[in-house]
């Protein structure tokens, strides 16, 4: 009984533990083992004449459950990034295969264990290789065929791998869908960008990225990661180590110079890198490897995933790809995710899901005829990953995916203008181009800026930058696309400038969205050369109260700038800064979700139901007028333990005024249980108790006429005896004068100990204090449970006297005891209980006489008692 | 509470159920307890201990720009220090304090056996529970308030009265603007501890062991905190009682966001309403055997 609550609590804890364990197992259960890949070497013939023999190192992942000859599955070619190998995409390949695709990964020529030299996805080399991989797939028994020799196949890959997907799609009509990620439209433009629109011949050399790009292909620097899938971490790792030790022979000068590049490409790079200017031959060569050279020939469903943190292949490249592919009428979707070559959040899972969704849609569903259905929940013509605040549990950044039904291009669906102001400002080009402003540091953006953060600090050098600033914005502006502005540059000769759009708020550092800059080269004139600068494409929210600041700097760490010192003047041709927007782009609502309101209401409702249905049993309890003068009437009282055994069974007692009643019985007779029911502490199962005619229920007001001491004292140990009694009396809410505190304290007889904390008391002192507490207010009915415990003989004698005197005034005392002599000497009446039942009741004297003959000799209550409970001789 | 109205016939002179166990008496009964005094002493001392700890630490906080974590910004001024003190204590110390005040209140009476004499006085059960809950919640609220206020005082004396610097972005908000928000933060911290209070109270009613009640409530917080780190549970975690406990940080950012706090309040109110109702329901029907 004591552990009723405890047992429930244990049940609850066990249930919770089971639930938690279940949830953890469910969450952490290992996924089924991925299908093992099979390593194969595929010999191909390529070169302009198709006569160069190259061996490609590849791995084939058969879709699970199909390999033994059942059905056929669509195939996916998974290409790796620059500097990587087939190992870089192994994880993705396994996941794709588990989703039911036949997946082929390969190390491109010049990478990993494949032979040959790097030709930068040239139509004569890498593209021919891919065509022969498609031939290979067409011969596999696991691969679904559209026609003989024409497998159902898609290509996915990032960076270098994305480019080969685009190029192969242009040259091989058997390819059905592609997902190129963070890749280029025009490699010449990527390496020699010109934001004034004059093309790569006039472009500014992106020297740091170009250097990393070309050097990472050299054998001695080839990292396992690669620039595509694994991002820049691979470059950083390569920079730190990876040099094969000892055994290998020292590299030849040619290897050191060109790594595994095709000599023609190597020579081209050496020329342009030395001068910082693109030659027509270089542009021609780079464009042969770029989708720009195959406009109109890519006409298959294409999902372009480009990174917002990408200063190597910025969003404008995906935009150009999207435009030319959509012009053929092929379905195109564009996604700007939070990663890119500069780091950010790789969003691996989301990118994978979108990729699989795209292939499901175009390689699988279209096969069943009819129009393909939307299968990916995130699928939309235009998706932009935005910052969604922080996860309140982990405090980590949360990403939202805003979607729109149409891809508007970098000009947005509409535009707004903000006026910027500033006087003409002279800007100096430092000799040697140093020190240089910093926007992003290629290869280290992700390390410096912290993964997940959308910006890292940018730095301008005073004297090298002209700034034009707007007034604080009245309302927030969400920019999606490329802002533009027209300026004039005065002076003489050529200069390079870098346009940047900062978000300036009150206290913090100005932020350069995505750390992107727009480089351009301009020939200055004394009258001022007008230039319309297309600033980098961004998706950025300029909040109300912030200012927009357009800065033109003469230097940037990532680019080649003229070595000769010069000073030019930059001024605004028009104060208008044009900002493209796409209001259709909406993120899932971040407003209060429905349960914010519903849950507390439901909780309060549930609470109300619990309280209303859980009312305490209501007594029939009008006062029985006939019994109004009878201190205690117990009728048919019964109480079961939880195990069903009866603690009290059909007990009926009547106690009159002036009686001192002894409740007698051995341990376990049910005395204490009866007294607890009398105090309203436990609920009777059957029968009732009436005190002065009023039925006893928990908290019944008539209990105020009862003084009780049951099963030991109960005091606050930190308070003194006096404070305990005073606080107890104040808790009853009755007038202080009614307490008769001094009389009660006299009975306790504690003397000076009364003002000590109760925890210092002996057992007997507490006992006496408890009896005094029971007598507070001189109740009409006094119930004392084993009052003589812990008292010494003189105190017991005193107790007897006090109790008899107490009853003489017409009050009633009930004393329970297992000490027979005690009852015999104190009580006028006695009730004998045994095993919960009433055995005998009546005046003490009567009980003694009634049983006298059975005994013969002198009668003692002890004998009577033992006789009554059937344990006599 | 609408407890069965006990019959008022035949009661002792001067007795009225509505006058039993006045709040003043319950405050007095609880106040002089050693655990109350020790807990408040600890809570009041904590900010000073932190101040001393920061004084002795290596003086790296002056290069400010690079490290914008809450702990690095604590020495920026009184307000920053108070926010830091609240964030380090809300996770565990305040949980223990609240669980102590609410979990111990009925269970300790049961363990001292004084509960049965209060009930036989008689204090109606609903009234006893209601007043005990109010007093325990008041002590809990005082505990939650006293830490940031004392930290504000200690921080202002030690580091000066400066504008607040926001963790993460390093932006500066004027102290005057942030003061009302600070009241909001303290209020939210109280509400978010309500679940702990309600659970501790329910356990307190269900068991005779004060330690069991306090430990059970603290255990729930620990389990919940562990679960909320399992990201595989996804949005299910939003319904964990501790998930939104740090959402008050959003109120101190330059663009305050109240979505998380609204959810936190919703979760907290819903859980605690049910738990408290369960406590009343259980106590009404309970056989008091302690």
């Amino acid at each position: 009984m004591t552990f009723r609550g405890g047992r429930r609590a244990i049940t609850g804890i066990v249930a919770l533990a089971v639930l938690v364990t279940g949830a953890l197992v469910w969450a952490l259960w290992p996924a089924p083992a991925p299908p093992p890949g099979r390593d194969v070497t595929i010999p191909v013939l390529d070169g302009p004449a198709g006569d160069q023999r190259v061996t490609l190192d590849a791995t084939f992942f058969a879709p699970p459950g199909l390999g033994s000859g059942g059905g056929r599955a669509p195939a996916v070619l998974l290409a790796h990034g620059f500097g990587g190998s087939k190992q870089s995409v192994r994880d993705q390949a396994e996941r794709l295969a588990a989703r039911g695709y036949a997946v082929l990964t390969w190390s491109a020529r010049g990478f990993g264990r494949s032979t040959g030299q790097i030709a930068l996805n040239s139509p004569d080399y890498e593209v021919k290789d891919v065509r022969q991989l498609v031939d290979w797939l067409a011969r596999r028994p696991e691969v679904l065929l559209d026609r003989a020799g024409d497998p159902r196949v898609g290509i996915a890959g990032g960076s270098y791998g994305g480019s080969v997907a685009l190029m192969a799609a242009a040259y091989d009509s058997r390819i059905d869908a592609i997902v190129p990620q963070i890749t280029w439209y025009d490699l010449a433009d990527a390496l020699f960008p010109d934001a004034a629109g004059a093309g790569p011949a006039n472009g500014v050399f992106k020297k740091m990225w170009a250097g990393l790009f070309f050097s990472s292909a050299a054998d001695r620097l080839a990292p396992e990661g690669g620039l595509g899938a694994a991002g820049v971490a691979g470059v950083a790792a390569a920079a730190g180590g990876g040099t094969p030790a000892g055994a290998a022979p020292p590299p030849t000068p040619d290897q050191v110079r060109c790594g595994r590049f095709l000599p023609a490409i190597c020579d081209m790079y050496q020329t342009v890198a030395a001068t910082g200017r693109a030659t027509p031959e270089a542009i021609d060569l780079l464009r042969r490897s770029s989708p720009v050279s195959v406009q109109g020939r890519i006409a298959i469903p294409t999902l372009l995933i480009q990174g917002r943190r990408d200063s190597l292949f910025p969003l404008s490249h995906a935009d150009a790809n999207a435009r030319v592919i959509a012009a053929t009428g092929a379905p195109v979707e564009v996604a700007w995710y939070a990663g890119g070559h500069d780091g950010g959040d790789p969003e691996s899972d989301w990118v994978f899901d979108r990729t699989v969704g795209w292939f499901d849609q175009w390689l699988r569903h279209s096969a069943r005829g009819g129009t393909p259905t939307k299968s990916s929940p995130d699928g939309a013509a235009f998706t932009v990953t935005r910052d969604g605040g922080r996860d309140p549990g982990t405090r980590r950044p949360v990403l939202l995916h805003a979607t729109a039904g149409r891809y508007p291009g970098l000009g947005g669906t509409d535009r707004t203008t903000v006026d910027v102001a500033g006087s003409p400002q002279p800007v100096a080009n430092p000799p040697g181009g140093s020190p240089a402003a910093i926007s992003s540091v290629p290869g280290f953006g992700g390390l410096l800026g912290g993964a997940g953060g959308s910006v890292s600090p940018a730095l301008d050098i005073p004297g090298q930058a002209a700034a034009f600033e707007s007034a604080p914005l009245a309302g927030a502006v969400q920019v999606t696309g490329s802002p533009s502005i027209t300026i004039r540059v005065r002076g003489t000769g050529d200069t390079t400038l870098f346009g940047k759009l900062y978000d300036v708020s009150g206290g913090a550092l100005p932020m350069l969205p995505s750390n992107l800059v727009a480089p351009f080269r301009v020939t200055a004139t004394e009258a001022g050369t007008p230039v319309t600068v297309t600033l980098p494409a961004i998706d950025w929210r300029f909040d109300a109260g912030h200012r927009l600041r357009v800065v033109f700097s003469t230097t940037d760490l990532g680019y080649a700038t003229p070595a000769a010192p010069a000073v030019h003047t930059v001024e605004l041709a028009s104060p208008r800064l044009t900002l493209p927007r796409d209001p259709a782009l909406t993120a899932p609502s971040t407003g209060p979700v429905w349960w914010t309101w519903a849950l507390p209401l439901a909780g309060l409702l549930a609470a109300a139901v619990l309280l209303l249905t859980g009312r305490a049993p209501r007594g029939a309890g009008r006062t029985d007028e006939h019994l109004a003068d009878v201190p205690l009437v117990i009728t048919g009282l019964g109480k079961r333990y939880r195990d069903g055994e009866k603690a009290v069974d059909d007990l009926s007692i009547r106690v009159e005024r002036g009686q001192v009643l002894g409740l007698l019985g051995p341990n376990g007779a049910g005395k204490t249980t009866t007294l607890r029911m009398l105090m309203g502490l436990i609920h009777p199962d059957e029968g009732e108790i009436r005190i002065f005619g009023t039925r006893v229920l928990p908290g019944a007001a008539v209990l105020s006429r009862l003084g009780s001491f049951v099963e030991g004292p109960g005091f606050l140990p930190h308070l003194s005896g006096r404070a305990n009694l005073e606080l107890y009396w104040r808790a009853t809410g009755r007038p202080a004068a009614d307490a008769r505190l001094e009389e009660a304290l006299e009975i306790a007889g504690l003397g000076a100990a009364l003002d000590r904390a109760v925890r210092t008391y002996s057992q007997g002192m507490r006992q006496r204090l408890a009896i005094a507490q029971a007598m507070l207010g001189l109740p009409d009915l006094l119930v004392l449970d084993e009052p003589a415990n812990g008292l010494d003989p003189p105190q017991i004698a005193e107790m007897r006297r006090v109790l008899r005197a107490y009853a003489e005034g017409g009050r009633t005392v009930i004393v329970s005891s297992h000490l027979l002599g005690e009852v015999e000497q104190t009580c006028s009446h006695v009730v004998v209980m045994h095993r919960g039942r009433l055995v005998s009741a009546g005046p003490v004297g009567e009980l003694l006489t009634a049983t006298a003959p059975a005994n013969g000799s002198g009668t003692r209550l002890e004998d009577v008692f033992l006789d009554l409970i059937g344990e006599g001789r | 509470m609408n407890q069965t109205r006990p019959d008022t016939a035949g009661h002792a002179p001067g007795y009225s159920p509505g006058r039993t166990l006045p709040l003043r008496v319950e405050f007095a009964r609880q106040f002089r307890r050693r655990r109350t005094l020790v807990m408040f002493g600890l809570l009041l001392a904590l900010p000073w201990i932190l101040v001393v700890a920061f004084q002795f630490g290596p003086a790296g906080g002056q290069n400010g720009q690079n490290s914008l974590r809450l702990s690095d910004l604590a020495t920026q001024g009184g307000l920053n220090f108070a926010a830091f003190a609240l964030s380090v204590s809300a996770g565990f110390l305040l949980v223990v304090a609240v669980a102590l005040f609410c979990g111990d209140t009925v269970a300790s009476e049961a363990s001292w056996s004084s509960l049965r004499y209060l009930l036989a006085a008689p204090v109606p059960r609903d009234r006893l529970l209601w007043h005990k809950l109010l007093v325990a919640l008041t002590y809990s609220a005082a505990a939650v308030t006293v830490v940031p206020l004392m930290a504000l005082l200690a921080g202002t004396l030690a580091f000066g009265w400066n504008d607040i610097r926001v963790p993460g972005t390093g932006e500066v908000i004027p102290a005057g603007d942030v003061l009302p928000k600070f009241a909001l933060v303290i209020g939210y911290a109280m509400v978010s501890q309500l679940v702990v209070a309600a659970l501790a109270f329910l356990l307190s009613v269900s068991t005779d062991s004060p330690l069991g009640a306090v430990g059970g409530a603290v255990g729930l917080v620990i389990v919940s905190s562990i679960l909320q780190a399992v990201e595989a549970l996804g949005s299910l975690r939003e319904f964990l009682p501790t998930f939104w406990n740090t959402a008050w940080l959003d109120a101190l950012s330059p663009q305050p966001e109240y979505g998380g706090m609204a959810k936190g309040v919703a979760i907290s109110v819903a859980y605690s309403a049910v738990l408290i109702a369960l406590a009343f329901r259980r106590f009404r029907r309970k056989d008091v055997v302690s």
Side-chain angles (χ1 to χ4, degrees):
Chain A
M1 243 160 83
T2 317
F3 292 103
R4 191 168 160 227
R7 206 173 290 167
R8 288 252 188 105
I10 289 168
T11 316
I13 287 167
V14 168
L16 189 70
V18 168
L19 207 70
V20 166
T21 315
L24 286 177
V25 167
W26 173 73
L28 305 175
W29 193 260
R38 200 148 45 80
D39 289 335
V40 286
T41 51
I42 302 174
V44 291
L45 285 171
D46 57 18
D51 55 1
Q52 300 181 16
R53 188 166 297 279
V54 169
T55 308
L56 296 181
D57 178 29
T59 305
F60 183 68
F61 300 82
L66 296 179
S68 52
R72 286 164 170 262
V76 172
L77 284 164
L78 209 50
H80 62 81
F82 206 76
S85 73
K86 66 174 189 177
Q87 295 301 333
S88 333
V89 292
R90 188 182 180 92
D91 287 349
Q92 294 165 60
E94 286 173 348
R95 290 173 70 187
L96 255 178
R99 300 286 280 265
Y101 290 93
V103 183
L104 184 65
T105 66
W106 78 101
S107 297
R109 69 198 320 275
F111 291 100
R113 292 209 175 87
S114 294
T115 61
Q117 286 169 315
I118 300 162
L120 286 187
N121 291 337
S122 156
D124 287 334
Y125 296 94
E126 280 87 352
V127 174
K128 282 189 175 172
D129 295 348
V130 172
R131 295 189 58 158
Q132 288 164 76
L133 293 177
V134 175
D135 293 341
W136 187 88
L137 281 174
R139 294 192 295 270
R140 297 297 310 179
E142 299 94 341
V143 174
L144 186 66
L145 296 180
D146 285 330
R147 230 174 291 106
D150 177 3
R152 177 75 57 80
V153 61
I155 310 183
S159 195
Y160 191 62
S163 149
V164 84
L166 285 161
M167 296 306 289
Y171 285 95
D172 192 333
S173 61
R174 293 172 298 175
I175 293 162
D176 299 291
I178 50 174
V179 185
Q181 298 153 23
I182 54 170
T183 190
W184 66 82
Y185 168 70
D186 180 350
L187 193 53
D189 180 69
L191 298 181
F192 297 90
D194 183 58
N202 195 46
V204 183
F205 183 45
K206 206 183 272 180
K207 64 172 181 187
M208 269 186 90
W209 263 129
L212 281 169
F213 192 78
F214 281 90
S215 66
S216 69
D219 230 357
R220 61 198 171 87
L221 281 182
E224 278 301 296
L227 281 177
V232 289
V235 176
T243 309
T252 65
D254 224 37
Q255 278 174 329
V256 177
R257 195 175 75 96
C258 284
R260 291 175 72 176
F261 273 108
L262 208 63
I265 290 177
C266 182
D267 294 343
M268 178 277 295
Y269 173 69
Q270 306 250 316
T271 312
V272 299
T275 63
R277 297 299 293 257
T279 58
E281 298 76 36
I283 293 172
D284 224 39
L285 187 96
L286 291 171
R287 283 192 165 163
R288 287 253 304 151
S289 298
S290 303
V292 65
S293 65
V294 291
Q295 288 182 46
R297 290 177 62 175
I298 306 172
I300 54 169
T302 305
L303 168 63
L304 291 155
I305 301 177
Q306 204 78 355
R308 290 177 50 201
R309 296 293 311 270
D310 203 328
S311 55
L312 177 57
F313 304 128
L315 297 171
S316 54
H317 283 259
D319 179 65
N321 274 325
R323 238 181 309 114
V324 299
I325 298 170
T328 67
V332 176
E333 289 184 4
V334 177
W336 295 355
Y337 81 119
H341 284 96
D342 287 341
D345 187 325
E347 290 196 79
S348 316
D349 288 341
W350 186 82
V351 167
F352 179 79
D353 287 346
R354 274 305 294 267
T355 306
V356 172
W358 191 252
F359 288 142
D360 281 351
Q361 186 177 343
W362 296 106
L363 299 184
R364 219 182 262 289
H365 295 190
S366 61
R368 304 200 180 107
T371 49
T373 49
K374 280 262 174 272
S375 59
S376 162
D378 281 324
F382 186 30
T383 310
V384 176
T385 301
R386 285 180 175 162
D387 185 8
R390 280 170 182 275
D391 179 305
T394 56
R395 309 304 307 167
R396 298 235 301 255
V398 173
L399 299 174
L400 293 177
H401 295 104
T403 56
R406 194 172 75 81
Y407 173 64
L410 300 182
T413 51
D414 69 10
R415 285 144 202 262
T416 184
T417 59
V418 169
D419 283 358
V420 292
S423 54
Q425 292 158 50
V427 291
N429 184 43
S434 180
I438 298 171
S439 54
S440 64
V441 183
F444 297 95
L447 304 177
L448 291 186
S454 53
V455 280
S456 45
L459 180 73
D460 285 320
I461 310 290
Q464 298 180 17
F468 305 94
E469 201 166 271
S470 75
L473 292 174
V477 180
Q478 175 83 46
V479 174
T480 306
S482 287
S484 62
I485 192 166
T486 307
I487 56 164
R488 272 195 295 268
V489 183
R490 293 179 189 274
T492 50
D494 274 7
T495 183
T496 56
L497 288 172
F498 300 87
K500 317 175 192 187
L501 175 59
Y502 281 99
D503 181 349
V504 184
S505 63
L509 292 171
M511 285 186 282
L512 180 61
S514 301
N515 291 73
L516 294 176
V517 298
F520 56 96
R521 190 187 302 273
V522 56
T523 307
T525 55
E526 286 301 340
T529 311
V531 190
T532 297
V533 181
T534 306
L535 293 165
I538 50 172
D539 179 73
W540 187 265
R541 182 186 155 92
F542 294 88
D543 281 310
H546 288 202
R547 295 164 187 268
L548 277 66
R549 182 189 292 166
V550 184
V551 170
F552 294 95
S553 165
T554 54
T555 53
D556 191 279
L557 189 64
Y559 293 81
T561 51
V567 176
H568 295 85
T569 300
V570 179
E571 66 187 38
L572 291 173
S574 152
R576 306 222 135 167
L577 173 65
T578 309
L579 302 170
R581 299 187 300 175
D582 184 0
L585 204 58
T586 48
S589 165
T590 53
V593 286
W594 60 271
W595 59 257
T596 313
W597 311 109
L599 198 67
L601 288 180
L604 291 172
L605 195 69
V609 168
L610 282 173
L611 287 178
L612 291 178
T613 59
R615 285 171 173 240
R618 200 185 182 95
R622 290 291 113 218
T623 304
D624 186 339
E625 295 299 335
H626 302 294
L627 298 174
D629 209 33
V630 183
L632 179 64
V633 177
I634 294 177
T635 325
L637 193 68
K639 179 72 184 175
R640 287 171 197 280
Y641 291 123
R642 288 190 105 195
D643 59 11
E645 197 195 332
K646 285 202 160 180
V648 177
D649 189 7
D650 195 24
L651 183 72
S652 297
I653 306 173
R654 183 181 171 110
V655 186
E656 301 290 349
R657 275 182 181 272
Q659 289 183 354
V660 178
L661 178 81
L663 190 56
L664 192 61
N667 289 334
K671 303 188 299 288
T672 301
T673 306
T674 307
L675 294 183
R676 283 180 173 281
M677 286 190 275
L678 181 63
M679 293 164 74
L681 296 176
I682 60 182
H683 302 265
D685 290 331
E686 52 206 37
E688 59 170 33
I689 301 171
R690 283 179 184 271
I691 297 177
F692 296 107
T694 305
R695 186 166 173 195
V696 171
L697 296 166
V702 74
L703 290 172
S704 58
R705 297 178 72 177
L706 173 83
S708 48
F709 164 64
V710 173
E711 255 197 329
F715 294 110
L716 309 189
H718 54 286
L719 297 178
S720 70
R722 185 188 296 277
N724 258 296
L725 291 204
E726 279 172 359
L727 283 173
Y728 173 76
W729 188 255
R730 285 170 67 191
T732 67
R734 292 166 62 185
D738 290 1
R740 319 288 280 271
L741 187 61
E742 292 313 315
E743 289 176 55
L745 290 177
E746 205 172 306
I747 290 165
L750 289 171
L754 208 51
D755 293 313
R756 291 209 321 252
V758 166
R759 79 168 78 82
T760 64
Y761 285 15
S762 69
Q763 168 72 19
M765 289 160 82
R766 287 179 205 206
Q767 184 94 356
R768 296 200 312 269
L769 188 66
I771 292 168
Q773 177 177 290
M775 287 183 175
L776 278 182
L778 302 183
D780 296 320
L781 176 59
L782 182 64
V783 175
L784 301 177
D785 186 17
E786 309 279 6
N789 276 7
L791 301 188
D792 52 28
Q795 285 168 336
I796 292 175
E798 170 68 7
M799 168 76 56
R800 285 182 198 134
R801 195 191 57 73
V802 167
L803 292 184
R804 274 199 295 267
Y806 196 84
E808 270 161 21
R811 299 197 184 86
T812 310
V813 179
I814 299 174
V815 176
S816 96
S817 182
H818 67 280
L819 294 177
L820 310 163
E822 181 59 38
V823 169
E824 191 177 355
Q825 292 180 54
T826 313
C827 299
S828 61
H829 291 69
V830 67
V831 166
V832 182
M833 287 183 72
H834 184 52
R835 290 187 180 151
R837 290 181 154 275
L838 179 72
V839 179
S840 174
V844 176
E846 240 174 61
L847 206 62
L848 293 177
T849 355
T851 45
N855 230 329
S857 63
T859 313
R860 290 184 313 125
L861 191 54
E862 184 177 358
D863 304 323
V864 179
F865 175 67
L866 291 174
D867 200 35
L868 283 172
I869 66 173
E871 285 173 16
R873 59 213 73 126
Chain B
M1 304 303 300
N2 52 349
Q3 149 89 334
T4 307
R5 192 173 54 82
D7 287 339
T8 47
H11 57 72
Y15 172 81
S16 159
R19 286 208 291 267
T20 54
L21 193 63
L23 289 175
R24 267 177 303 123
V25 172
E26 177 59 14
F27 273 115
R29 285 160 55 85
Q30 300 293 333
F31 182 70
R32 271 181 275 173
R33 298 190 52 189
R34 208 174 275 173
R35 56 124 234 236
T36 312
L37 298 176
V38 166
M39 183 48 84
F40 273 106
L42 184 63
L43 293 175
L44 287 171
L46 177 77
W48 297 103
I49 297 171
L50 287 174
V51 165
V52 171
F54 275 112
Q55 302 289 9
F56 278 107
Q62 301 313 316
N63 54 354
Q65 293 298 350
N66 316 337
S67 54
L68 293 175
R69 287 175 303 157
L70 192 55
S71 55
D72 300 323
L73 294 176
T75 55
Q76 291 285 325
L79 283 163
N80 265 108
F81 185 73
F84 169 72
L86 187 60
S87 77
V88 291
S89 55
F92 197 71
L93 182 62
L94 289 182
V95 168
V96 172
V98 169
L100 182 67
F101 290 128
C102 295
D104 176 278
T105 181
V106 179
S108 64
E109 299 272 1
S111 72
W112 298 326
S113 304
S114 51
L115 182 62
R116 73 170 94 103
Y117 295 108
L118 283 178
L119 290 176
V123 181
R125 289 193 178 188
D126 276 5
R127 186 178 168 83
L128 178 114
L129 219 50
W130 185 237
H131 279 194
K132 282 210 159 280
L133 180 63
L134 283 182
V135 170
L137 287 181
T138 308
Y139 276 117
S140 305
V144 174
T145 317
V146 94
V147 170
L149 286 188
M150 181 53 90
L152 195 58
L153 177 70
T156 305
L157 289 180
F159 309 116
W161 177 255
N162 297 324
D163 295 345
I164 196 162
R165 277 194 80 189
V166 177
T169 63
E171 284 174 78
V172 175
I173 315 180
D177 291 4
V178 94
L179 219 48
K181 278 189 192 167
F182 216 72
L184 183 75
V185 164
I186 294 177
Y188 180 77
M190 279 180 205
V191 174
S192 61
Q193 300 290 355
L194 207 54
V195 180
V196 179
L199 181 77
F201 193 64
L202 173 60
L203 292 176
S204 186
V205 164
S206 309
T207 169
D208 298 347
S209 149
L211 270 185
V214 177
V218 173
L220 171 97
V221 169
I222 292 172
V223 169
S224 175
S225 314
I226 292 171
L227 281 185
Q228 85 186 34
V230 181
E231 293 197 10
L233 292 177
S235 59
L236 275 183
R237 294 177 304 151
E238 293 194 9
F239 296 93
L240 290 171
T242 56
F243 189 71
W244 304 97
N245 277 7
T246 49
W248 57 267
L249 286 169
D250 297 347
L252 293 182
S253 65
Q255 288 91 39
E257 224 230 55
Y258 300 105
M261 290 172 72
K263 286 181 184 176
V265 170
I267 293 280
S268 205
V269 167
Y271 282 138
S272 36
V274 172
L275 290 171
I276 289 173
L278 277 175
F280 274 88
R281 184 188 166 96
R282 166 162 284 195
F283 195 61
R284 281 174 184 173
R285 300 182 159 186
K286 186 181 180 177
D287 282 344
V288 176
V289 293
S290 58

